[in-house]
């Protein structure tokens, strides 16, 4: 595997384009001098020199986005489009190709509608989870938001990148219904029922008539999403937050085997999360207080911290939402199954759905109550004052054997390279996202070297075993994409053919998720000819 | 609105292609002489001359499908691809363009896997609902099928065409996970996690990495699906079939308003169906016994038949599936809400999920128990010995006001043109499919003329009011597509650009759902230039 290297635009073309961008945007909407400082990869472990923007644009309207793409197309300038650029662990707003002009959509932040009769929102890409939650509260609407770890990010960005939250509506991309998209030639389309301009069902019925295009614009460089419909959970009568400590790490397989039928039959809907000991310990102490030696925190140190803070070897959590008696029945079924596990200790917190707010909900339950917050950011100091983070997030079947195989494999790597196992399994119905959050010290050459050595090996082994990642940091997009080898990466070849027809000059986010215009790399066409 | 007319292939090209098809297929797999008889539109109301095949091919393997498309591409022969061609009300296996060669995939009928641990199936397009159900029963697998009205159709075809069933997994396209697709150049791709040849999650995690292409192959002519993953419902501990008669037709709005929150919060999952009186009466008597006069059955005649047979003005039905105590709680919540409606009479049938089979389930509950059958075919004689049927199926928001507006509008048309209102609302969470099933006598010139006059008017008015159809008969695909007018039908323009790049000669199912290759019609490019 080798990452594609592409030259950015020439300085001359760039200067000409920036003059033209400035003609159509507000003064404050074109950042050039401070672009590198403002738009660098915040946790770059490789210096980030391959991912530096030449300028940042902040359009405020769909029309401005259309003008920007038309100028970029005319001048051949690669853009890198972010909603708010807050996805720090995956590169923030830094572009895949150095010299790209970042298009940051944070000023397009209108909440166009929140409908609590039909339970949906229609939002622009600049709207944050905080914005949406506050809007719902201020207007006393009977719907709940579903929020990811950090509330400052874009609802649209998170959804399109397949981020997730912790309520029954936690699989955000599954809740997406209807898009407005600006294509590379400035054309605007609306997907699904939105293609009938008179339709009242744009946010209500996903497919429309004929092929459905919404999936094309997920993790995508085929267009710029300017409006998105999102289904919202009706405010539940009752919300029970369930937590369980599991004593032994060896119980992981059994736990996953017990959870799967509960997830598949909807006893638990949304996500159940299984977190490692350090995931919880990191919220209660600092790493320095635990361990000042070299390498990862040793097992016996983790064990004594577990005893001290009352943390399980694995820590399960999920929420139940709905009518009070239905929640009770589902709780009974879930408990009957979980109680059979050895060394499990269950606990509950019961809420009246109408009473749930940041004032009434325990901090540990905020995410499961759909209340945006910034608590997980505290973990950023785990590895040092100048801490950085990188995720490794392979997908696997929801089986005990797969959980154990992934855990064993990843433990082996983090031990070998001296990192902590700070992992969680986000268990859906038939698949799990296993997220290893790697914390490193950006001032430590050892950490940076170890990361650079570990990541490709770990990714290769995982992909060979069938555990592909569902998303990737800028530096690894090509590698993850390379792992999808069926019929000589034929799927990528097809997407690149679509890229070439919709965006022949390759101006929208070239290289995103390993999809390149053929003007920049010749791989796509070659791949097809070889067959 | 005007339907596109396109000339089929020349006889010379066709003969050459058929010789080549015969070289790569079995003898019995190339039908020419009987093609028109075997492949005509079974319920054509317009004579069906615009939809006659020149030949029918029955490939047995993916490799044969690849060879067929390569030959068709080389010779410029339009194909019309069907899974089994049993979607009779929408054209059966008849092609959009007369002279097309039908590719019928019924011989590709392998059930590659049914996994009752992870609850999915992997099937080829020739597999019927009967096949899948029988396989599950014979192997005593702990999953249920979800079946549409008639069990003889293809699981793949129904799912890709957005057909539906009546269990909690009734929205079939929502259960689709992972595809194998042959493109017009013979290339094979696998979508989602299947693009990693080693992945065990092809049928488990839908999106994969980067843009998701599955939606592109729904109601589509962009490729030929040769394998499909489908999530299946775990065998429930308990199944309760709920029915309700609602006395007055005027209660429709209130009924829909009562159902919506129950659907949105998952108290009822899948579909709830609201059927008109004639829908049930047609199963209990013949039309002739009711009414021998001209035009639709008069209201007073319907009313006396309702009294005689104990049928409601509207008739609600849905199923509840799952753990016994959860089903009970959901039943309690649903009943509490529904009992408030005036003139409602609720009834239940309670089943042990493990005991459910065609031997134990009442005929009225077969569909809700996921057991394939052919009962609805009986309604085909409703309008005469040589009966035909055509559906009008607009999508609308799940609101009482929309239900009433659609009902009033459609009643007006069927009254004016002398047809019966044989309608049902298939209520999902946020949208409903209102299906008017029009039965006509194929031997009656009056019926055929009335249909030809009524359909375009009704479709135009519905589309103008925002009620677009989610599928359409061959004869109306262009008209429905024309109704998606946002930005000068820009969405169609984009799909046609994708069509041109993936299938430049336009050989796969040209005209399907109004999507044409630019070689055949110039509309696509023109549309783009006009903007």
């Amino acid at each position: 595997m080798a990452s594609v290297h592409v030259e950015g635009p020439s300085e001359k073309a760039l200067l000409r384009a920036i003059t033209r961008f400035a003609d159509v945007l507000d003064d404050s909407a074109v950042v050039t001098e401070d672009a590198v400082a403002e738009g660098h990869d915040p946790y770059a472990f490789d210096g980030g020199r391959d991912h530096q923007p030449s300028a940042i644009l902040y359009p405020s309207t769909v029309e401005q986005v259309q003008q920007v793409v038309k100028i970029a197309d005319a001048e051949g300038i690669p853009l890198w489009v972010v909603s708010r650029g807050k996805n720090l662990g995956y590169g923030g707003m830094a572009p895949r190709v150095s010299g790209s002009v970042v298009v940051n959509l944070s000023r397009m932040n209108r909440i166009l509608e929140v409908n609590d009769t039909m339970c949906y929102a229609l939002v622009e890409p600049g709207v944050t989870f905080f914005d949406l939650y506050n809007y719902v509260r201020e207007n006393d609407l009977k719907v709940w938001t579903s929020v990811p770890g950090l509330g400052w990010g874009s609802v649209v960005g998170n959804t399109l990148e397949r981020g997730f939250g912790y309520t029954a509506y936690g699989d955000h991309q599954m809740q997406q219904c209807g898009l407005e998209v600006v294509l590379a030639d400035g054309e605007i389309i609306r997907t699904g029922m939105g293609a009938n301009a008179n339709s009242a069902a744009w946010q209500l019925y996903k497919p429309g008539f004929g092929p459905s295009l919404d999936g094309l614009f997920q993790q995508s460089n085929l267009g710029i999403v300017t409006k998105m419909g999102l289904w919202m959970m009706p405010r539940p009568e009752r919300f029970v937050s369930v937590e369980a400590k599991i004593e032994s790490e060896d119980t992981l397989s059994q736990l996953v085997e017990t959870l799967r039928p509960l997830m598949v039959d909807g006893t638990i809907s949304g996500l159940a999360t299984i977190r490692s000991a350090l995931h919880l310990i990191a919220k209660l102490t600092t790493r320095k207080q635990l361990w000042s030696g070299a390498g990862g925190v040793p097992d016996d140190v983790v064990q004594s911290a577990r005893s001290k803070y009352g943390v399980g070897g694995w820590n399960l959590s999920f929420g139940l939402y709905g009518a009070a008696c239905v929640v009770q029945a589902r709780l009974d079924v879930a408990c009957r199954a979980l109680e059979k596990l050895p060394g499990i200790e269950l606990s509950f917190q019961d809420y009246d759905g109408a009473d749930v707010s940041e004032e009434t909900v325990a901090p540990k339950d905020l995410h499961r109550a759909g209340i945006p917050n910034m608590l997980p950011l505290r973990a950023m100091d785990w590895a040092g004052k100048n801490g950085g983070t990188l995720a490794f997030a392979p997908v696997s079947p929801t089986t005990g054997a797969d959980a154990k195989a992934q855990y064993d494999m990843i433990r082996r790597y983090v031990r070998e390279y001296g990192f902590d196992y700070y992992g969680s399994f986000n268990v859906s119905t038939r698949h799990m996202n296993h997220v290893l959050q790697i914390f490193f010290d950006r001032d430590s050459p050892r950490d940076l070297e170890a990361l650079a050595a570990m990541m490709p090996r770990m990714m290769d082994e995982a992909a060979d075993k069938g555990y592909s990642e569902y998303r990737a940091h800028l530096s690894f997009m090509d590698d993850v994409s390379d792992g999808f080898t069926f019929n000589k990466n034929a799927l990528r070849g097809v997407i690149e053919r679509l890229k070439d027809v919709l965006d022949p000059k390759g101006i929208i986010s070239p290289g995103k998720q390993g999809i390149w215009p053929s003007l920049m790399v010749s791989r796509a066409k070659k791949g097809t000819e070889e067959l």
Side-chain angles (χ1 to χ4, degrees), chain A residues 272-309:
Chain A
T273 303
I274 304 171
R275 285 174 294 171
S276 70
L278 278 185
H279 225 293
L280 275 78
I281 293 168
K283 283 157 190 82
L284 303 163
T285 183
T286 64
R287 194 174 189 280
K288 232 173 212 161
Q289 281 184 290
L290 278 191
W291 177 245
S292 55
V297 182
D299 286 355
D300 59 331
V301 176
V302 174
Q303 185 60 48
S304 61
R306 277 184 52 196
S307 304
K308 181 172 171 189
Y309 295 108

Side-chain angles (χ1 to χ4, degrees), chain A residues 311-518:
Chain A
V311 166
W314 294 105
N315 303 274
L316 171 69
S317 59
F318 58 88
L320 298 171
Y321 313 83
C325 65
V326 178
V327 166
Q328 187 60 49
R330 290 164 59 201
L331 184 62
D332 292 345
V333 172
C335 288
R336 268 203 302 274
L338 289 165
E339 277 164 2
K340 291 180 190 154
L341 291 170
I344 191 166
E345 199 180 307
L346 281 155
S347 61
F348 318 97
Q349 194 129 0
D350 212 324
Y351 295 95
D352 177 338
D355 266 355
V356 162
S357 73
E358 59 271 43
E359 292 87 23
T360 57
V361 167
K364 70 175 181 59
D365 292 332
L366 284 172
H367 288 105
R368 282 185 290 283
I371 300 176
N373 62 82
M374 295 297 287
L375 298 180
L377 206 58
R378 291 186 196 160
M380 286 312 305
D381 298 328
W382 183 246
K385 255 197 316 212
N386 193 14
T389 189
L390 192 66
F392 176 65
V395 169
S396 88
T398 310
T399 75
D402 284 294
K404 184 172 178 344
Q406 286 214 357
Y407 177 58
D408 288 347
M409 179 182 78
I410 286 175
R411 278 298 304 247
R412 182 161 37 84
Y413 279 107
V414 293
R415 274 197 181 126
E416 181 180 341
Y417 287 97
F419 294 106
D420 294 327
Y421 177 74
Y422 188 105
S424 59
F425 289 88
N426 295 287
V427 182
S428 183
T429 56
R430 291 163 178 84
H431 82 277
M432 310 181 287
N433 292 336
H434 182 189
V435 181
L436 170 71
Q437 203 70 44
I438 308 163
F439 293 103
F440 58 95
D441 181 348
R442 281 182 286 171
D443 296 332
S444 156
R446 191 216 72 87
D447 275 13
L448 301 181
E449 273 166 39
L451 257 187
M454 178 179 77
M455 289 299 286
R457 280 189 60 202
M458 189 160 65
M459 288 165 61
D460 272 356
E461 183 177 340
D464 286 348
K465 289 184 169 164
Y467 301 133
S468 287
E469 286 189 89
Y470 82 104
R471 65 201 301 191
H473 180 271
L474 292 173
S475 302
F476 299 115
M477 287 178 174
D478 292 309
D479 304 81
V480 174
S481 171
D482 283 345
F484 287 86
T485 53
F486 177 78
N487 190 16
K488 301 179 184 169
N489 296 83
L491 182 66
R492 179 171 68 193
V494 169
I495 299 172
E496 291 185 336
R497 287 166 69 190
L498 304 184
K499 174 71 178 168
D500 278 345
V501 67
L502 293 180
D503 182 11
K505 294 199 186 158
I507 58 148
I508 298 181
S509 302
K512 182 163 173 59
Q513 250 68 16
I515 302 300
W516 292 95
S518 58

Side-chain angles (χ1 to χ4, degrees), chain A residues 37-93:
Chain A
E38 200 169 316
H40 70 286
D41 178 0
Y43 302 141
F45 64 92
D46 54 3
R49 280 171 300 276
D50 288 342
H51 309 301
Q52 289 180 339
S54 55
I56 307 174
L57 309 180
Y58 291 90
S60 299
T61 64
V62 177
E63 293 72 25
Q64 288 182 347
V65 171
Q66 291 177 284
Q67 287 169 312
V68 165
V69 294
K70 283 178 184 168
I71 294 166
D73 195 61
E75 304 290 352
I77 301 295
L79 305 172
W80 183 258
V81 185
V82 297
S83 293
R84 296 194 69 90
K86 290 298 189 188
N87 202 359
L88 303 192
Y90 290 95
M93 72 169 104

